Amino acid sequence: MARIDGRAPDELRKIVITPDYLSHPLASVLIRNGGTRVVCAVSIDAKVPAWMKNRKVPGGWITCEYGMLPASTHDRMKRESSAGKQGGRTVEIQRLIGRSLRMSADLLKLGENTAYLDCDVIDADGGTRCAGITGAATALAIACRRGVAKGIFPENPFKESVAAISVGVIGGVPMLDLCYEEDSNAEVDMNVVMTESGKLVEVQGTAEGEPFSRARLNELIDLAEHGLKQVFAMQREAVETALEVRP
Amino acid sequence: MARIDGRAPDELRKIVITPDYLSHPLASVLIRNGGTRVVCAVSIDAKVPAWMKNRKVPGGWITCEYGMLPASTHDRMKRESSAGKQGGRTVEIQRLIGRSLRMSADLLKLGENTAYLDCDVIDADGGTRCAGITGAATALAIACRRGVAKGIFPENPFKESVAAISVGVIGGVPMLDLCYEEDSNAEVDMNVVMTESGKLVEVQGTAEGEPFSRARLNELIDLAEHGLKQVFAMQREAVETALEVRP
Amino acid sequence: MARIDGRAPDELRKIVITPDYLSHPLASVLIRNGGTRVVCAVSIDAKVPAWMKNRKVPGGWITCEYGMLPASTHDRMKRESSAGKQGGRTVEIQRLIGRSLRMSADLLKLGENTAYLDCDVIDADGGTRCAGITGAATALAIACRRGVAKGIFPENPFKESVAAISVGVIGGVPMLDLCYEEDSNAEVDMNVVMTESGKLVEVQGTAEGEPFSRARLNELIDLAEHGLKQVFAMQREAVETALEVRP
Amino acid sequence: MARIDGRAPDELRKIVITPDYLSHPLASVLIRNGGTRVVCAVSIDAKVPAWMKNRKVPGGWITCEYGMLPASTHDRMKRESSAGKQGGRTVEIQRLIGRSLRMSADLLKLGENTAYLDCDVIDADGGTRCAGITGAATALAIACRRGVAKGIFPENPFKESVAAISVGVIGGVPMLDLCYEEDSNAEVDMNVVMTESGKLVEVQGTAEGEPFSRARLNELIDLAEHGLKQVFAMQREAVETALEVRP
Amino acid sequence: MARIDGRAPDELRKIVITPDYLSHPLASVLIRNGGTRVVCAVSIDAKVPAWMKNRKVPGGWITCEYGMLPASTHDRMKRESSAGKQGGRTVEIQRLIGRSLRMSADLLKLGENTAYLDCDVIDADGGTRCAGITGAATALAIACRRGVAKGIFPENPFKESVAAISVGVIGGVPMLDLCYEEDSNAEVDMNVVMTESGKLVEVQGTAEGEPFSRARLNELIDLAEHGLKQVFAMQREAVETALEVRP
Amino acid sequence: MARIDGRAPDELRKIVITPDYLSHPLASVLIRNGGTRVVCAVSIDAKVPAWMKNRKVPGGWITCEYGMLPASTHDRMKRESSAGKQGGRTVEIQRLIGRSLRMSADLLKLGENTAYLDCDVIDADGGTRCAGITGAATALAIACRRGVAKGIFPENPFKESVAAISVGVIGGVPMLDLCYEEDSNAEVDMNVVMTESGKLVEVQGTAEGEPFSRARLNELIDLAEHGLKQVFAMQREAVETALEVRP
């Protein structure tokens, strides 16, 4: 079965990670994954959330906020700031990204700082939350190294990179890295977040049309793992490029 | 390693499903799972959401709203209605419950109706979202049968039951049905939603302290499957009891 | 004239007060009044409201929050947390309950603490605000005694119990403790809050269809007083039971 | 015991009702009661609330919105529109005014119209909700007559005027028409809404420091009745003046 | 071309500034400009905004809040506090008034205080933002003098008065001080804020139907300047009157 | 006096307009003005606002929504969607852009459509509202031509382009196109919106530190006019390029 964009079932879309896309934050990237583009920025705020202060939890925090430009989607999306609140999907995604990224760093070594990860979707064609995780991890790796150079962190808090990719079943066939059209028709939809060393950070598999078997679950994770190995290589390259240009 | 409440690692807490706990809705249950108690109610509204109307999607809809009594938690939780919005965790849970339950029914057979699933936590001791899914599926099964009897649905829209259970890793040991104390200390936390016929509906596994291996993922799903078989038996019994008393 | 449920005009519905219905708060009760069920919980927060702090008012505070499960009413009620605000009726009721309960305790003896009274309606069949007051006063009496035992309060802040009952005029006849159906058809609707020693704490009488005479007002308060004597006996019993089991 | 402003215990403050204080609405008054000034306006909207439409309730509706200028109080009050919601006291007051005024008109004769009563406090010195009711009733009487003249209503919907006054107990002495300073120190605080023919529309009595006896309740209502007779005379005069000038 | 109310194109409407219209704030005026009436009050709060504290900006702050009584407009306006937020027009106006008034005082001499300028429109017939600026400047001049007398400010922070007037083009003719009807039909609409010494503080010109030429811009500012000279005289007189009566 | 970035006082920053930066909307541009980058998109919704429908205003509407990526500013800005509302500056800017763009099109020829102009700031270095206007006008010109080709509009609704530039006074010298650093220190800050034929659409001049003279106002508008002539040339070029590539 041919995919809508001619890819093989186990083939990624073209991924490009452009570091330092923005002028002001400590680190940022524009990640392009096929027709999806997400700006991921890391800003350090020299404060911790109130609940950490109250409970005297030592170390720092990593949190994510996710948004979409209204014109990033097929039909214009209502702007959440003018709607007066973030939708359920937004909340769900930013919690997933925040949780995943907290696995990539040693929160104690962050000191009393909060790292804000802003993932803003410029153009959406499926897989925005995975692109957000992959892009945010790249930007965080850069920011941690720069934070040491600038004396914000005494020691590099970054432990290991994480990255994410979507997989799914369309017409009974497991496929890697779904575009929007595929995603809309998937029978099963799964997002897999892994560490560079091949461990699982988060697995979210959802039956969209029909429940799925244990065997299918394993096939899908295999496929994700195959794709993520390639993604980690691109992350490493982007981090090195960024730090050469602006250490 | 002994569990905090003396259970074996693969042992469920005591589960009791009391049908028709409320007077007014078409169907309801109080589900008790150890120290957790959740009231699950199904109300039918003879309307569909605006987006279905606008896009002329045929059939009906199933949606969930989740809440906690402020005094249901160890420390009193701020009331979301007075805070002016639902928190991120609430939004995430009600989306999961709604999605899971939509797999248990044929939306076309619902007609132009919305089934509201209200899951309200009376007492919380871990596993409230899973108890919500299990309880809501029980109430929905009852409601669908009663809806046919009352002429709301020409044909029973209920396809197959779903249920959910939490599993996790504590001190390196996979354990079934975590209580709050266990959940707070888990290295991996997973919620598994299955159909009565043993297929997966949703798998959400999260590394809390350390990323986990593929082998661990499979162990945990085995454990969940083992527990869910027992849960489905209790669901069936509760449905039968309810329909005998009030058909 | 026979009442809808066969009671005499001056007869209460069946009232049952079950103490310690919840696991976590300092004290709680489930109060059942006919088809109405309300969970009332008391949680102590070691803080006072900002306005007390700013104006240096000594002592503590008692405040109430009231809510209804969406499925507690004849037709499902919109959830206030998802609507984004509490409705006017909710606000009015929780202010009434808070005000009434502040008469039952010596705020100075509370120390720098706030007692949160959460009244959550599980099932509604009229008289929920009165059941809330009666239940909250029972739970507060228990909480105050336990607070002394736990060293939260040096001295028992509870002064005297309060309780409330609804009265009304239906078809020209004054009646005690209206159920929902009666309440919907009442010409006059009144809530009377009294102290155990027979003094008035709050009287709220509202003409629904026709304005009423001074004589009618007095008849209605007589009726309320007659009912409240019985209610106070049940409160005392519930407090004693609770403290025997868990002092 | 002398009152703070030299009045006898059963003496009203100076009340002045200035009709047509505003240019645009169908009818309006500025009511001054001692240091309290409230602008009351009646606007007719050719629609009924959604719930009336849905349940096919015939006739129209009367509703009230209440507000205070931020600088109307002793210490500047936070503006509710910038705070993003109406406070509990505001909600309680506007519900009371709306309910009271619905007793003064035949809702069927309003036709499919909503009468908005806007009560805005310019200067506050106690008794603003009572001044609001008295002023709104005056403006509504005028608006109903003008509405007939303009062909909005086929028949005058106004039945009978209502008015309100506060009474209370200060230093053990029942007093009429409390100013702010008295109100702040009252042991009992009561608002009485009556019809011109001397029937009760609403009685709201609240113990502020000490619960009160049945005898005290009756004394206070006697006092209110005594004051309201004088208020009704002023209302009648204001209505006649207004209709002479602008029929 | 005759104006709708018979004025000459360069003629102001009748302006009356009544000082101390309210009882409680440090200073207030009722400003009437034709059919427009605005209450402007100045309240001093012994705090500065959080951003000033955080950035350690010395001195105080001046801020404005603007509102309209719902019945102040031709058709009743929805109350912003019940709508749950301030509309865009309100936000725009209160920012303009705040900015303009900050030019009239030395913020350093305010000390750590915030001056709240509340501009509330009682009756609207065009030009409410300009009346707000003129009225607020009058009240601020009075408040600053009284603040020195009361020891709130060691030295008078008021530098120079500001005032505002609207100008516009209707039917091709430049006109001064537009009433509502004129404003609705204007081809160009401009608000000019000046200092007493004839300098510009703010110029906001908007093409409503057709863009306008540079020459037109200059004609309109000439007209505004001509009107504002008369307005400053009225301001001075109101300040003197107010301070004689209550220094 | 040398400018911070070495430009002459009457010199623009580098402006680049990249058309069709986004995949989905009818037209879009990325406009770069020095360090400022704004994405401007035009989406057509086949509806008009409720107020137009109710008042039966013929034709269509043009409206703008403006936002900033949180990481677009020097210090990270709080995300407005998570704050729950748009700030005053945002509201003010989007109203200005909407108003300006409505001058560039014939609303009648839009038919019953709303054109949404989304201006999202990617990187901010001063002049974002002006870049928004210039970019939105470019995108609207393209969208109108494409709308005719696609049969959305029977006739091209675009009348004439508009563009905007900031001018200001720094250290007593009038300067064109202020960057952030200049803007923060400006004594006078002005935004000028013009039509391609040299007429004024909007003039907003604000004294930041000192009020300014009439002569200064004229100098500043001269400077703006000088810059805008160059801007219109770039707009024309971008429109032609876009329509060649995708007509």
Side-chain angles (χ1 to χ4, degrees):
Chain A
M1 189 182 123
R3 293 178 78 168
I4 189 172
D5 50 12
R7 281 183 290 151
D10 65 347
E11 195 181 336
L12 292 171
R13 291 181 286 175
K14 190 180 174 192
I15 295 176
V16 183
I17 305 176
T18 310
D20 289 318
Y21 184 69
L22 301 181
S23 315
H24 304 302
L26 184 55
S28 67
V29 308
L30 172 71
I31 179 166
R32 173 191 294 261
N33 184 12
T36 286
R37 280 187 295 167
V38 184
V39 181
C40 305
V42 178
S43 309
I44 306 295
D45 187 18
K47 262 190 250 165
V48 290
W51 65 264
M52 285 186 79
K53 231 175 181 165
N54 295 342
R55 299 195 215 151
K56 305 195 180 176
V57 179
W61 192 244
I62 294 173
T63 191
C64 172
E65 290 193 350
Y66 170 95
M68 300 183 95
L69 297 201
S72 67
T73 49
H74 281 74
D75 295 312
R76 180 182 183 272
M77 203 187 77
K78 196 167 170 32
R79 190 177 288 266
E80 293 188 322
S81 63
S82 83
K85 65 170 188 169
Q86 297 182 309
R89 180 183 165 278
T90 294
V91 167
E92 208 173 79
I93 291 176
Q94 65 195 13
R95 283 167 61 88
L96 168 65
I97 302 180
R99 228 159 44 220
S100 298
L101 268 289
R102 285 193 290 274
M103 294 302 294
S104 72
D106 183 332
L107 297 181
L108 271 175
K109 294 189 183 158
L110 275 179
E112 273 201 38
N113 293 296
T114 296
Y116 280 94
L117 311 176
D118 284 294
C119 294
D120 285 275
V121 178
I122 298 292
D123 243 333
D125 186 23
T128 62
R129 79 190 70 188
C130 291
I133 290 170
T134 301
T138 313
L140 187 61
I142 300 168
C144 284
R145 294 261 291 270
R146 286 188 183 146
V148 174
K150 284 174 181 289
I152 303 173
F153 314 125
E155 203 180 334
N156 188 345
F158 202 73
K159 293 193 303 194
E160 185 184 18
S161 195
V162 299
I165 203 75
S166 75
V167 283
V169 180
I170 296 114
V173 182
M175 289 181 181
L176 178 65
D177 188 15
L178 312 187
C179 67
Y180 176 76
E181 179 102 18
E182 289 172 337
D183 189 77
S184 310
N185 297 304
E187 293 116 47
V188 180
D189 183 15
M190 187 171 304
N191 294 296
V192 179
V193 189
M194 277 193 161
T195 61
E196 208 167 345
S197 58
K199 293 276 183 75
L200 292 161
V201 166
E202 186 102 21
V203 175
Q204 294 201 341
T206 301
E208 295 287 348
E210 281 300 311
F212 54 103
S213 67
R214 292 285 302 274
R216 193 56 105 195
L217 173 70
N218 279 307
E219 270 180 288
L220 288 168
I221 302 182
D222 285 343
L223 204 52
E225 218 170 337
H226 162 75
L228 286 170
K229 275 182 198 148
Q230 302 165 57
V231 174
F232 283 116
M234 292 179 236
Q235 277 190 333
R236 278 189 301 266
E237 204 192 300
V239 172
E240 291 321 309
T241 307
L243 290 169
E244 267 165 44
V245 175
R246 202 178 113 197
Chain B
M1 185 183 125
R3 293 178 76 169
I4 188 171
D5 51 10
R7 281 184 289 154
D10 67 347
E11 196 182 336
L12 291 172
R13 290 181 287 175
K14 193 180 172 191
I15 295 175
V16 183
I17 306 176
T18 309
D20 290 318
Y21 183 70
L22 302 181
S23 312
H24 304 301
L26 185 55
S28 66
V29 307
L30 174 70
I31 180 166
R32 172 191 295 262
N33 184 12
T36 287
R37 280 185 298 165
V38 184
V39 180
C40 305
V42 179
S43 309
I44 306 297
D45 187 18
K47 265 188 252 165
V48 290
W51 64 264
M52 288 186 78
K53 236 180 178 159
N54 295 344
R55 300 194 216 153
K56 304 197 182 180
V57 179
W61 192 244
I62 294 174
T63 191
C64 171
E65 290 193 350
Y66 170 95
M68 301 183 94
L69 296 201
S72 68
T73 47
H74 281 76
D75 294 312
R76 181 183 183 272
M77 203 186 78
K78 194 162 170 37
R79 189 176 290 266
E80 292 187 324
S81 62
S82 81
K85 66 171 187 169
Q86 298 183 309
R89 180 183 166 276
T90 294
V91 167
E92 204 173 80
I93 292 177
Q94 65 195 12
R95 283 167 63 89
L96 168 65
I97 303 180
R99 229 160 43 220
S100 297
L101 269 288
R102 285 193 290 276
M103 294 300 294
S104 72
D106 183 332
L107 297 180
L108 271 175
K109 294 189 182 159
L110 275 180
E112 272 201 37
N113 293 295
T114 297
Y116 280 94
L117 311 177
D118 285 295
C119 294
D120 284 275
V121 177
I122 299 292
D123 245 333
D125 187 24
T128 63
R129 79 189 70 189
C130 292
I133 290 170
T134 302
T138 314
L140 187 61
I142 300 168
C144 283
R145 295 262 290 271
R146 284 187 185 148
V148 174
K150 284 173 180 290
I152 302 173
F153 314 125
E155 204 181 334
N156 188 345
F158 202 73
K159 294 194 302 193
E160 185 185 19
S161 197
V162 299
I165 203 77
S166 74
V167 283
V169 179
I170 296 113
V173 182
M175 290 182 181
L176 178 65
D177 189 15
L178 311 187
C179 67
Y180 175 76
E181 178 101 20
E182 290 173 336
D183 190 76
S184 311
N185 297 304
E187 292 116 47
V188 180
D189 182 15
M190 187 171 303
N191 295 294
V192 179
V193 189
M194 276 192 162
T195 61
E196 207 167 344
S197 59
K199 292 275 184 71
L200 292 162
V201 167
E202 185 103 21
V203 175
Q204 293 201 342
T206 302
E208 295 286 351
E210 282 299 312
F212 54 104
S213 67
R214 291 285 302 275
R216 192 57 105 195
L217 173 70
N218 280 310
E219 270 181 289
L220 288 169
I221 303 183
D222 286 342
L223 203 53
E225 216 170 340
H226 162 75
L228 286 170
K229 277 183 197 148
Q230 303 166 58
V231 174
F232 283 116
M234 292 178 236
Q235 276 191 332
R236 279 189 299 268
E237 204 191 301
V239 172
E240 290 322 309
T241 306
L243 290 168
E244 268 167 42
V245 174
R246 205 178 111 196
Chain C
M1 187 183 125
R3 293 177 76 167
I4 188 173
D5 51 11
R7 282 183 289 150
D10 65 348
E11 196 181 334
L12 291 171
R13 292 180 288 175
K14 193 181 171 190
I15 294 174
V16 184
I17 305 175
T18 308
D20 289 318
Y21 184 69
L22 301 181
S23 312
H24 304 302
L26 185 56
S28 67
V29 307
L30 173 70
I31 180 166
R32 173 191 294 262
N33 183 14
T36 287
R37 279 187 297 167
V38 185
V39 181
C40 304
V42 179
S43 309
I44 305 295
D45 187 18
K47 263 188 251 166
V48 290
W51 64 264
M52 286 186 77
K53 233 176 179 163
N54 296 342
R55 299 196 216 150
K56 306 200 180 174
V57 179
W61 192 243
I62 294 174
T63 189
C64 172
E65 291 193 350
Y66 170 95
M68 300 183 94
L69 297 201
S72 68
T73 49
H74 280 75
D75 295 312
R76 180 181 182 274
M77 203 186 79
K78 195 162 170 38
R79 189 176 290 264
E80 292 187 325
S81 62
S82 82
K85 66 170 187 169
Q86 299 183 308
R89 180 184 166 276
T90 294
V91 167
E92 204 174 82
I93 291 177
Q94 66 195 11
R95 284 168 61 89
L96 168 65
I97 302 180
R99 226 157 48 217
S100 297
L101 268 289
R102 284 193 290 275
M103 295 300 296
S104 71
D106 182 332
L107 296 180
L108 270 175
K109 294 189 182 158
L110 276 180
E112 271 201 39
N113 294 295
T114 297
Y116 279 94
L117 311 176
D118 284 295
C119 294
D120 285 275
V121 177
I122 299 292
D123 245 333
D125 186 23
T128 63
R129 79 189 70 188
C130 291
I133 290 170
T134 302
T138 313
L140 187 61
I142 300 169
C144 283
R145 294 260 292 269
R146 285 188 183 148
V148 174
K150 283 173 181 290
I152 302 172
F153 313 125
E155 205 180 334
N156 188 346
F158 202 74
K159 293 193 303 193
E160 185 185 18
S161 197
V162 299
I165 203 75
S166 76
V167 283
V169 179
I170 296 113
V173 182
M175 289 181 182
L176 178 65
D177 187 16
L178 311 188
C179 67
Y180 175 78
E181 178 101 21
E182 289 172 337
D183 189 77
S184 311
N185 297 304
E187 291 117 47
V188 181
D189 183 15
M190 188 172 301
N191 294 296
V192 179
V193 189
M194 277 193 160
T195 61
E196 207 167 347
S197 58
K199 293 275 182 74
L200 292 161
V201 166
E202 186 102 19
V203 174
Q204 293 201 342
T206 302
E208 297 286 350
E210 281 299 310
F212 53 103
S213 67
R214 292 285 302 274
R216 193 56 106 193
L217 173 72
N218 279 309
E219 269 180 290
L220 287 169
I221 301 183
D222 285 343
L223 205 52
E225 217 170 339
H226 162 75
L228 285 171
K229 276 183 196 149
Q230 302 166 57
V231 174
F232 283 115
M234 292 179 237
Q235 275 190 335
R236 279 189 300 266
E237 204 192 300
V239 172
E240 290 321 309
T241 306
L243 290 169
E244 266 166 43
V245 174
R246 204 178 112 197
Chain D
M1 186 182 121
R3 293 178 77 168
I4 189 173
D5 51 11
R7 281 184 290 153
D10 66 347
E11 194 181 336
L12 291 172
R13 290 181 286 175
K14 190 178 174 193
I15 295 175
V16 183
I17 305 176
T18 310
D20 289 318
Y21 183 70
L22 303 180
S23 313
H24 304 301
L26 185 55
S28 67
V29 307
L30 172 71
I31 180 166
R32 171 190 295 264
N33 184 11
T36 287
R37 280 185 298 166
V38 184
V39 180
C40 305
V42 179
S43 309
I44 305 295
D45 186 19
K47 264 189 252 164
V48 291
W51 66 264
M52 287 185 79
K53 233 176 180 166
N54 295 343
R55 300 194 214 152
K56 305 196 181 182
V57 179
W61 191 244
I62 293 173
T63 191
C64 172
E65 290 192 350
Y66 171 94
M68 300 182 95
L69 297 201
S72 68
T73 48
H74 281 75
D75 295 312
R76 182 183 182 272
M77 204 186 77
K78 194 164 170 34
R79 189 176 289 265
E80 292 187 324
S81 63
S82 82
K85 66 170 188 171
Q86 297 182 309
R89 179 182 167 278
T90 295
V91 168
E92 205 173 82
I93 291 177
Q94 66 194 14
R95 284 167 63 88
L96 167 65
I97 303 180
R99 229 160 42 222
S100 297
L101 268 290
R102 285 193 290 275
M103 294 301 295
S104 72
D106 183 332
L107 297 180
L108 271 175
K109 293 189 183 160
L110 275 181
E112 272 201 38
N113 293 296
T114 296
Y116 280 93
L117 311 176
D118 285 295
C119 295
D120 285 275
V121 178
I122 298 292
D123 244 332
D125 186 24
T128 63
R129 78 190 71 190
C130 291
I133 291 171
T134 302
T138 312
L140 187 61
I142 301 168
C144 284
R145 295 260 291 270
R146 285 187 184 148
V148 174
K150 284 173 180 291
I152 303 173
F153 314 125
E155 205 181 334
N156 188 345
F158 202 73
K159 293 194 303 195
E160 184 185 18
S161 197
V162 299
I165 204 76
S166 75
V167 283
V169 179
I170 295 114
V173 182
M175 291 182 181
L176 178 66
D177 189 16
L178 312 187
C179 66
Y180 176 76
E181 177 104 19
E182 290 172 335
D183 190 76
S184 311
N185 297 304
E187 292 115 48
V188 180
D189 181 15
M190 187 171 302
N191 294 294
V192 178
V193 189
M194 277 192 162
T195 61
E196 208 167 346
S197 59
K199 291 277 183 73
L200 292 161
V201 167
E202 186 100 23
V203 175
Q204 293 200 344
T206 301
E208 295 286 351
E210 282 300 309
F212 54 102
S213 67
R214 292 285 301 276
R216 191 58 103 195
L217 172 71
N218 279 309
E219 271 180 291
L220 288 169
I221 302 182
D222 285 343
L223 204 52
E225 218 170 338
H226 162 75
L228 286 169
K229 275 184 197 146
Q230 303 165 56
V231 174
F232 283 116
M234 294 179 236
Q235 276 190 332
R236 278 190 299 268
E237 205 192 298
V239 173
E240 290 321 309
T241 307
L243 291 169
E244 267 166 43
V245 174
R246 200 177 115 198
Chain E
M1 187 183 124
R3 294 178 75 169
I4 190 173
D5 50 11
R7 280 184 290 152
D10 65 348
E11 194 181 339
L12 292 172
R13 292 180 289 175
K14 191 180 173 192
I15 294 176
V16 183
I17 306 176
T18 311
D20 289 318
Y21 184 69
L22 302 181
S23 313
H24 304 302
L26 184 55
S28 68
V29 308
L30 173 71
I31 179 166
R32 174 191 294 264
N33 183 13
T36 287
R37 279 186 297 166
V38 184
V39 181
C40 306
V42 179
S43 310
I44 305 296
D45 188 18
K47 263 188 252 165
V48 290
W51 66 264
M52 286 186 78
K53 233 176 179 163
N54 295 343
R55 300 196 215 150
K56 307 199 178 175
V57 179
W61 192 243
I62 294 174
T63 190
C64 171
E65 290 193 351
Y66 170 95
M68 299 183 95
L69 297 201
S72 67
T73 48
H74 280 74
D75 294 313
R76 181 183 182 272
M77 203 187 76
K78 196 163 170 36
R79 190 176 289 266
E80 293 188 323
S81 63
S82 82
K85 65 170 187 171
Q86 297 182 311
R89 181 184 165 276
T90 294
V91 167
E92 206 173 80
I93 291 177
Q94 64 196 11
R95 283 167 62 88
L96 168 65
I97 302 181
R99 227 158 46 218
S100 298
L101 269 288
R102 285 194 289 276
M103 295 300 295
S104 71
D106 182 333
L107 297 180
L108 271 175
K109 294 190 183 159
L110 275 180
E112 273 201 37
N113 294 296
T114 297
Y116 280 95
L117 311 177
D118 285 294
C119 295
D120 285 275
V121 178
I122 299 292
D123 245 332
D125 187 24
T128 63
R129 80 189 68 188
C130 291
I133 290 170
T134 301
T138 314
L140 187 61
I142 301 169
C144 284
R145 294 261 291 269
R146 286 189 183 147
V148 173
K150 283 173 181 291
I152 302 173
F153 313 125
E155 203 180 335
N156 188 346
F158 202 73
K159 294 193 302 195
E160 183 185 20
S161 197
V162 298
I165 204 74
S166 75
V167 284
V169 179
I170 297 115
V173 182
M175 290 182 180
L176 177 66
D177 188 15
L178 311 187
C179 67
Y180 176 77
E181 179 101 19
E182 289 173 337
D183 189 77
S184 311
N185 297 305
E187 292 116 47
V188 180
D189 183 15
M190 186 172 304
N191 294 296
V192 178
V193 189
M194 277 194 162
T195 61
E196 209 168 346
S197 57
K199 292 276 182 72
L200 291 162
V201 167
E202 185 102 23
V203 174
Q204 293 201 342
T206 301
E208 296 286 349
E210 283 299 312
F212 54 103
S213 66
R214 292 286 302 276
R216 192 56 105 195
L217 173 71
N218 280 309
E219 270 180 289
L220 287 169
I221 301 182
D222 286 343
L223 205 50
E225 217 171 338
H226 162 75
L228 285 169
K229 275 184 197 148
Q230 302 165 59
V231 174
F232 282 116
M234 293 179 235
Q235 276 190 334
R236 278 190 300 268
E237 201 192 303
V239 173
E240 291 321 308
T241 307
L243 290 169
E244 267 166 42
V245 174
R246 205 178 111 197
Chain F
M1 186 182 124
R3 292 180 76 168
I4 188 171
D5 50 11
R7 280 184 290 152
D10 66 348
E11 194 181 339
L12 290 173
R13 290 181 288 175
K14 190 178 174 194
I15 295 176
V16 184
I17 305 177
T18 310
D20 289 317
Y21 184 70
L22 302 181
S23 313
H24 304 302
L26 185 53
S28 66
V29 307
L30 173 70
I31 179 166
R32 173 191 295 262
N33 184 11
T36 286
R37 278 185 299 164
V38 184
V39 181
C40 306
V42 178
S43 310
I44 306 295
D45 187 19
K47 264 188 252 165
V48 290
W51 65 264
M52 285 185 80
K53 233 178 181 162
N54 295 343
R55 300 195 214 151
K56 303 195 184 183
V57 179
W61 191 243
I62 293 174
T63 190
C64 172
E65 290 191 352
Y66 170 94
M68 300 183 95
L69 297 201
S72 67
T73 48
H74 281 74
D75 295 311
R76 181 183 181 270
M77 202 186 77
K78 196 165 170 31
R79 190 176 288 266
E80 293 187 323
S81 63
S82 83
K85 65 171 188 170
Q86 298 182 309
R89 180 183 166 278
T90 295
V91 167
E92 206 173 82
I93 291 176
Q94 65 194 11
R95 283 166 63 88
L96 168 65
I97 302 180
R99 228 160 43 220
S100 297
L101 268 289
R102 285 193 290 276
M103 294 301 294
S104 71
D106 182 332
L107 298 180
L108 271 175
K109 293 190 183 158
L110 275 180
E112 273 201 36
N113 294 295
T114 297
Y116 280 94
L117 311 177
D118 285 295
C119 294
D120 285 274
V121 178
I122 298 292
D123 245 332
D125 186 25
T128 64
R129 79 189 68 191
C130 291
I133 290 170
T134 301
T138 314
L140 187 61
I142 301 168
C144 284
R145 294 261 291 270
R146 286 188 184 147
V148 174
K150 283 173 181 291
I152 302 172
F153 314 125
E155 203 180 335
N156 188 345
F158 201 74
K159 294 193 302 193
E160 183 185 20
S161 197
V162 299
I165 203 75
S166 75
V167 282
V169 179
I170 297 114
V173 182
M175 290 182 181
L176 177 66
D177 188 15
L178 311 188
C179 67
Y180 176 77
E181 178 101 20
E182 289 172 336
D183 189 76
S184 310
N185 297 306
E187 292 115 49
V188 180
D189 181 15
M190 186 170 305
N191 294 294
V192 178
V193 189
M194 277 194 162
T195 61
E196 209 168 342
S197 58
K199 292 276 183 74
L200 292 161
V201 167
E202 186 102 22
V203 174
Q204 293 200 343
T206 301
E208 296 287 349
E210 282 300 311
F212 53 104
S213 67
R214 291 287 300 278
R216 191 58 104 192
L217 172 71
N218 279 309
E219 270 179 289
L220 288 168
I221 302 182
D222 285 343
L223 203 52
E225 218 170 338
H226 162 75
L228 286 169
K229 273 181 201 152
Q230 303 165 58
V231 174
F232 283 115
M234 293 179 234
Q235 277 190 333
R236 278 189 301 268
E237 202 191 301
V239 172
E240 289 322 308
T241 307
L243 290 169
E244 266 165 44
V245 175
R246 204 178 111 199

